Amino acid sequence: MFIEFTSFLKVYTQYVKDFPQAQDAFDSLKAKNTRFSKFLQDCKTNPGTTGLELDAYLILPIQRIPRYNLLLGEMVKHTWADHHDYASLKKALEKMQEVALYINERKREADSINKIVEIQSKFHGKIENLQDPHRRFVREGVLMVLRDPPKGPKDRIFILFNDKLLLVKTGKTLFKREEEYILLETHEVRVIAAQVDLQNPTTFVMRRGDPTLVLEQRPILYRLVASSAEERDNWIKDVNQAAEESDKKFQRNH
Protein backbone atom coordinates (compact mmCIF):
# COMPACT_ATOMS: atom_id res chain seq x y z
CA MET A 1 0.00 0.00 0.00
CA PHE A 2 2.78 2.48 0.94
CA ILE A 3 4.72 1.73 -2.25
CA GLU A 4 1.64 2.38 -4.35
CA PHE A 5 0.50 5.60 -2.69
CA THR A 6 3.69 7.39 -1.55
CA SER A 7 3.75 9.67 -4.63
CA PHE A 8 0.25 10.92 -3.76
CA LEU A 9 1.46 11.96 -0.29
CA LYS A 10 3.35 14.85 -1.91
CA VAL A 11 0.01 16.70 -1.86
CA TYR A 12 0.85 17.41 1.81
CA THR A 13 3.47 19.88 0.53
CA GLN A 14 1.06 22.80 0.20
CA TYR A 15 -0.43 22.14 3.63
CA VAL A 16 3.04 22.05 5.21
CA LYS A 17 4.04 25.31 3.48
CA ASP A 18 0.87 27.12 4.60
CA PHE A 19 0.77 25.75 8.15
CA PRO A 20 2.77 28.57 9.86
CA GLN A 21 0.41 31.22 8.44
CA ALA A 22 -2.60 29.12 9.40
CA GLN A 23 -1.28 28.72 12.95
CA ASP A 24 -0.65 32.48 13.24
CA ALA A 25 -4.18 33.22 12.01
CA PHE A 26 -5.62 30.70 14.47
CA ASP A 27 -3.68 32.17 17.43
CA SER A 28 -4.64 35.72 16.48
CA LEU A 29 -8.33 34.89 16.12
CA LYS A 30 -8.32 32.95 19.38
CA ALA A 31 -6.77 35.91 21.24
CA LYS A 32 -9.00 38.62 19.74
CA ASN A 33 -12.37 36.94 19.13
CA THR A 34 -14.18 35.91 22.31
CA ARG A 35 -16.91 34.02 20.43
CA PHE A 36 -14.31 31.96 18.62
CA SER A 37 -12.43 31.34 21.85
CA LYS A 38 -15.63 30.16 23.55
CA PHE A 39 -16.41 27.91 20.58
CA LEU A 40 -12.98 26.30 20.93
CA GLN A 41 -13.52 25.77 24.65
CA ASP A 42 -16.93 24.16 23.99
CA CYS A 43 -15.35 21.86 21.42
CA LYS A 44 -12.60 20.90 23.85
CA THR A 45 -15.11 19.80 26.47
CA ASN A 46 -17.09 17.78 23.92
CA PRO A 47 -16.43 14.06 24.56
CA GLY A 48 -16.00 13.46 20.84
CA THR A 49 -12.87 15.64 20.67
CA THR A 50 -10.97 13.67 23.35
CA GLY A 51 -10.11 16.94 25.12
CA LEU A 52 -8.05 18.38 22.26
CA GLU A 53 -8.30 21.87 20.78
CA LEU A 54 -8.55 22.58 17.07
CA ASP A 55 -4.84 23.42 16.71
CA ALA A 56 -3.97 19.93 17.97
CA TYR A 57 -5.85 18.53 14.99
CA LEU A 58 -4.37 21.08 12.58
CA ILE A 59 -0.86 19.76 13.23
CA LEU A 60 -1.78 16.10 12.66
CA PRO A 61 -1.14 16.20 8.86
CA ILE A 62 2.31 17.72 9.57
CA GLN A 63 3.13 14.77 11.82
CA ARG A 64 1.79 12.11 9.48
CA ILE A 65 4.80 11.70 7.16
CA PRO A 66 7.40 11.55 10.00
CA ARG A 67 5.20 8.99 11.77
CA TYR A 68 5.00 6.86 8.65
CA ASN A 69 8.79 6.97 8.41
CA LEU A 70 9.15 5.92 12.04
CA LEU A 71 6.63 3.10 11.60
CA LEU A 72 8.28 1.72 8.47
CA GLY A 73 11.73 2.10 10.00
CA GLU A 74 10.70 0.03 13.02
CA MET A 75 9.09 -2.60 10.79
CA VAL A 76 12.25 -2.93 8.71
CA LYS A 77 14.37 -3.06 11.87
CA HIS A 78 12.33 -5.93 13.34
CA THR A 79 11.79 -7.94 10.14
CA TRP A 80 14.16 -10.76 9.19
CA ALA A 81 16.18 -10.08 6.06
CA ASP A 82 14.99 -13.34 4.49
CA HIS A 83 11.30 -12.61 5.22
CA HIS A 84 9.20 -12.38 2.05
CA ASP A 85 8.00 -8.85 3.04
CA TYR A 86 11.46 -7.46 3.88
CA ALA A 87 12.32 -6.13 0.39
CA SER A 88 8.90 -4.48 0.04
CA LEU A 89 9.20 -2.85 3.47
CA LYS A 90 12.66 -1.45 2.62
CA LYS A 91 11.35 -0.08 -0.68
CA ALA A 92 8.35 1.49 1.09
CA LEU A 93 10.66 3.12 3.65
CA GLU A 94 12.92 4.50 0.90
CA LYS A 95 9.94 5.95 -0.96
CA MET A 96 8.54 7.49 2.22
CA GLN A 97 11.93 9.07 2.98
CA GLU A 98 11.94 10.52 -0.54
CA VAL A 99 8.52 12.06 0.10
CA ALA A 100 9.72 13.58 3.39
CA LEU A 101 12.81 15.01 1.67
CA TYR A 102 10.68 16.43 -1.17
CA ILE A 103 8.26 18.13 1.26
CA ASN A 104 11.11 19.56 3.35
CA GLU A 105 12.83 20.96 0.25
CA ARG A 106 9.63 22.65 -0.97
CA LYS A 107 9.06 24.02 2.53
CA ARG A 108 12.58 25.51 2.60
CA GLU A 109 12.02 27.09 -0.81
CA ALA A 110 8.72 28.63 0.33
CA ASP A 111 10.35 29.95 3.53
CA SER A 112 13.16 31.46 1.47
CA ILE A 113 10.75 33.20 -0.91
CA ASN A 114 8.72 34.61 1.98
CA LYS A 115 11.89 35.86 3.68
CA ILE A 116 13.07 37.63 0.51
CA VAL A 117 9.68 39.33 0.14
CA GLU A 118 9.93 40.44 3.78
CA ILE A 119 13.45 41.83 3.29
CA GLN A 120 12.43 43.65 0.10
CA SER A 121 9.58 45.37 1.96
CA LYS A 122 12.00 46.76 4.56
CA PHE A 123 14.08 48.78 2.09
CA HIS A 124 13.70 52.48 1.63
CA GLY A 125 14.71 54.13 -1.61
CA LYS A 126 15.81 52.68 -4.89
CA ILE A 127 16.91 49.05 -4.85
CA GLU A 128 16.82 46.27 -7.40
CA ASN A 129 14.06 43.68 -7.25
CA LEU A 130 15.39 40.98 -4.93
CA GLN A 131 12.70 38.48 -5.89
CA ASP A 132 14.63 36.57 -8.53
CA PRO A 133 13.32 33.03 -9.23
CA HIS A 134 16.79 31.55 -8.65
CA ARG A 135 17.62 33.55 -5.53
CA ARG A 136 17.63 31.87 -2.13
CA PHE A 137 17.94 33.47 1.29
CA VAL A 138 20.87 32.13 3.33
CA ARG A 139 21.56 34.30 6.37
CA GLU A 140 20.95 37.73 7.90
CA GLY A 141 22.58 39.26 10.96
CA VAL A 142 24.33 42.18 12.62
CA LEU A 143 28.13 42.26 12.46
CA MET A 144 30.51 44.93 13.66
CA VAL A 145 32.56 46.38 10.81
CA LEU A 146 36.06 47.37 11.94
CA ARG A 147 37.45 50.43 10.17
CA ASP A 148 40.66 52.36 10.31
CA PRO A 149 40.66 55.59 12.37
CA PRO A 150 39.07 58.06 12.44
CA LYS A 151 35.91 56.21 11.31
CA GLY A 152 35.82 53.60 14.05
CA PRO A 153 33.69 50.43 14.27
CA LYS A 154 30.07 50.35 13.12
CA ASP A 155 27.31 47.79 13.54
CA ARG A 156 25.88 46.88 10.17
CA ILE A 157 23.35 44.35 8.87
CA PHE A 158 24.65 41.78 6.41
CA ILE A 159 22.20 39.88 4.23
CA LEU A 160 23.52 36.82 2.42
CA PHE A 161 21.73 35.24 -0.53
CA ASN A 162 23.00 32.39 -2.67
CA ASP A 163 24.19 34.94 -5.27
CA LYS A 164 24.55 38.31 -3.51
CA LEU A 165 25.83 39.89 -0.32
CA LEU A 166 24.20 43.10 0.89
CA LEU A 167 25.56 45.58 3.44
CA VAL A 168 22.73 47.50 5.06
CA LYS A 169 22.16 50.10 7.73
CA THR A 170 18.88 51.07 9.38
CA GLY A 171 17.34 54.49 9.57
CA LYS A 172 14.02 56.24 10.03
CA THR A 173 12.38 58.01 7.13
CA LEU A 174 10.33 61.18 7.29
CA PHE A 175 6.96 59.48 6.85
CA LYS A 176 7.45 56.22 8.79
CA ARG A 177 8.11 55.67 12.45
CA GLU A 178 9.69 52.24 12.15
CA GLU A 179 13.25 51.82 10.96
CA GLU A 180 13.85 50.81 7.36
CA TYR A 181 16.79 49.28 5.55
CA ILE A 182 19.11 51.53 3.60
CA LEU A 183 21.40 49.75 1.15
CA LEU A 184 25.07 50.69 1.45
CA GLU A 185 26.84 48.13 -0.73
CA THR A 186 26.09 45.03 -2.76
CA HIS A 187 28.50 42.35 -3.99
CA GLU A 188 28.35 39.26 -6.13
CA VAL A 189 28.83 36.42 -3.70
CA ARG A 190 30.93 34.35 -6.11
CA VAL A 191 33.88 36.74 -5.67
CA ILE A 192 33.63 36.81 -1.85
CA ALA A 193 35.56 34.55 0.52
CA ALA A 194 35.59 34.52 4.32
CA GLN A 195 38.34 33.38 6.66
CA VAL A 196 39.19 33.43 10.35
CA ASP A 197 41.09 36.42 11.69
CA LEU A 198 43.40 35.09 14.41
CA GLN A 199 43.51 38.42 16.26
CA ASN A 200 40.34 37.59 18.19
CA PRO A 201 38.10 34.51 18.69
CA THR A 202 35.11 36.30 17.17
CA THR A 203 36.71 38.26 14.33
CA PHE A 204 36.94 37.26 10.67
CA VAL A 205 37.54 38.87 7.32
CA MET A 206 35.74 38.85 4.00
CA ARG A 207 37.91 39.15 0.92
CA ARG A 208 36.83 40.13 -2.57
CA GLY A 209 38.48 39.17 -5.84
CA ASP A 210 38.92 36.65 -8.64
CA PRO A 211 38.03 33.19 -7.23
CA THR A 212 41.00 31.69 -9.09
CA LEU A 213 43.46 33.72 -6.98
CA VAL A 214 45.00 32.40 -3.79
CA LEU A 215 42.89 33.64 -0.87
CA GLU A 216 45.64 35.86 0.60
CA GLN A 217 46.05 37.58 -2.81
CA ARG A 218 42.47 38.82 -2.71
CA PRO A 219 42.14 42.20 -0.93
CA ILE A 220 40.24 42.44 2.35
CA LEU A 221 36.75 43.82 1.87
CA TYR A 222 35.57 43.79 5.48
CA ARG A 223 37.12 43.03 8.85
CA LEU A 224 34.26 41.89 11.05
CA VAL A 225 33.36 40.99 14.62
CA ALA A 226 30.60 38.48 15.36
CA SER A 227 28.76 38.11 18.67
CA SER A 228 30.33 34.69 19.29
CA ALA A 229 32.83 32.24 17.83
CA GLU A 230 29.92 30.04 16.76
CA GLU A 231 28.25 32.86 14.84
CA ARG A 232 31.59 33.73 13.21
CA ASP A 233 32.09 30.11 12.10
CA ASN A 234 28.55 29.93 10.71
CA TRP A 235 29.08 33.09 8.68
CA ILE A 236 32.37 31.79 7.30
CA LYS A 237 30.80 28.44 6.37
CA ASP A 238 27.71 29.96 4.74
CA VAL A 239 29.60 32.65 2.79
CA ASN A 240 32.16 30.21 1.41
CA GLN A 241 29.55 27.62 0.54
CA ALA A 242 27.37 30.17 -1.25
CA ALA A 243 30.42 31.55 -3.10
CA GLU A 244 31.54 28.09 -4.21
CA GLU A 245 28.10 27.12 -5.49
CA SER A 246 27.62 30.48 -7.22
CA ASP A 247 31.00 30.23 -8.93
CA LYS A 248 30.24 26.69 -10.15
CA LYS A 249 26.99 27.95 -11.67
CA PHE A 250 28.84 30.87 -13.26
CA GLN A 251 31.42 28.51 -14.80
CA ARG A 252 28.70 26.27 -16.23
CA ASN A 253 27.00 29.22 -17.93
CA HIS A 254 30.16 30.83 -19.37
Side-chain angles (χ1 to χ4, degrees):
M1 182 182 72
F2 281 108
I3 294 173
E4 185 177 352
F5 289 105
T6 45
S7 59
F8 293 101
L9 294 175
K10 291 180 180 178
V11 298
Y12 280 98
T13 303
Q14 192 63 45
Y15 189 92
V16 173
K17 290 196 297 186
D18 292 341
F19 179 76
Q21 292 87 346
Q23 185 66 60
D24 288 344
F26 174 86
D27 292 340
S28 176
L29 192 60
K30 181 180 175 181
K32 296 177 181 178
N33 190 313
T34 54
R35 289 181 61 189
F36 181 67
S37 182
K38 184 180 183 305
F39 168 76
L40 291 176
Q41 189 60 37
D42 291 342
C43 290
K44 187 177 179 180
T45 56
N46 187 315
T49 65
T50 64
L52 297 176
E53 282 197 1
L54 178 60
D55 56 345
Y57 290 100
L58 289 175
I59 201 171
L60 287 178
I62 305 291
Q63 299 169 335
R64 189 173 300 275
I65 302 300
R67 285 176 175 174
Y68 284 158
N69 270 305
L70 288 172
L71 171 65
L72 289 168
E74 286 298 304
M75 292 178 72
V76 169
K77 181 180 176 181
H78 295 286
T79 301
W80 302 289
D82 57 353
H83 192 280
H84 65 275
D85 286 331
Y86 184 78
S88 295
L89 285 170
K90 279 202 71 175
K91 186 175 181 181
L93 176 59
E94 290 169 0
K95 282 185 167 290
M96 192 59 65
Q97 289 171 338
E98 289 174 6
V99 170
L101 181 62
Y102 175 86
I103 292 174
N104 288 338
E105 287 294 329
R106 301 292 83 76
K107 175 65 165 59
R108 276 194 287 269
E109 288 176 5
D111 289 345
S112 175
I113 291 169
N114 291 335
K115 182 64 177 178
I116 292 172
V117 171
E118 177 191 328
I119 290 171
Q120 181 89 51
S121 69
K122 291 182 178 180
F123 275 97
H124 170 72
K126 189 175 181 180
I127 183 175
E128 65 171 299
N129 183 14
L130 297 175
Q131 299 168 53
D132 185 284
H134 304 292
R135 181 162 293 141
R136 296 290 177 266
F137 170 79
V138 179
R139 172 176 287 274
E140 178 183 16
V142 176
L143 297 169
M144 180 184 291
V145 182
L146 300 178
R147 306 189 178 196
D148 295 331
K151 290 185 177 180
K154 288 280 188 181
D155 284 343
R156 292 291 183 241
I157 296 171
F158 284 79
I159 304 172
L160 177 65
F161 300 108
N162 62 327
D163 62 338
K164 285 189 180 296
L165 176 70
L166 307 185
L167 174 64
V168 172
K169 72 174 182 178
T170 57
K172 291 185 179 179
T173 62
L174 182 63
F175 302 104
K176 289 190 176 182
R177 293 182 179 180
E178 66 273 15
E179 289 191 332
E180 294 185 312
Y181 284 176
I182 301 170
L183 180 65
L184 299 176
E185 296 176 11
T186 180
H187 305 277
E188 286 187 44
V189 78
R190 62 172 289 267
V191 299
I192 304 296
Q195 68 177 153
V196 172
D197 184 351
L198 298 177
Q199 294 183 13
N200 186 289
T202 61
T203 60
F204 66 107
V205 296
M206 289 189 191
R207 296 177 179 270
R208 186 179 188 278
D210 188 337
T212 61
L213 293 175
V214 176
L215 191 58
E216 284 68 23
Q217 292 179 336
R218 297 156 72 174
I220 292 177
L221 180 64
Y222 304 118
R223 193 178 299 277
L224 304 163
V225 181
S227 61
S228 67
E230 181 182 6
E231 185 191 24
R232 177 204 63 185
D233 293 343
N234 287 335
W235 269 104
I236 292 173
K237 176 178 68 69
D238 289 342
V239 167
N240 290 337
Q241 184 176 327
E244 181 180 353
E245 292 175 359
S246 182
D247 188 51
K248 285 180 180 177
K249 183 178 179 182
F250 177 83
Q251 298 302 330
R252 286 196 302 267
N253 297 332
H254 292 80

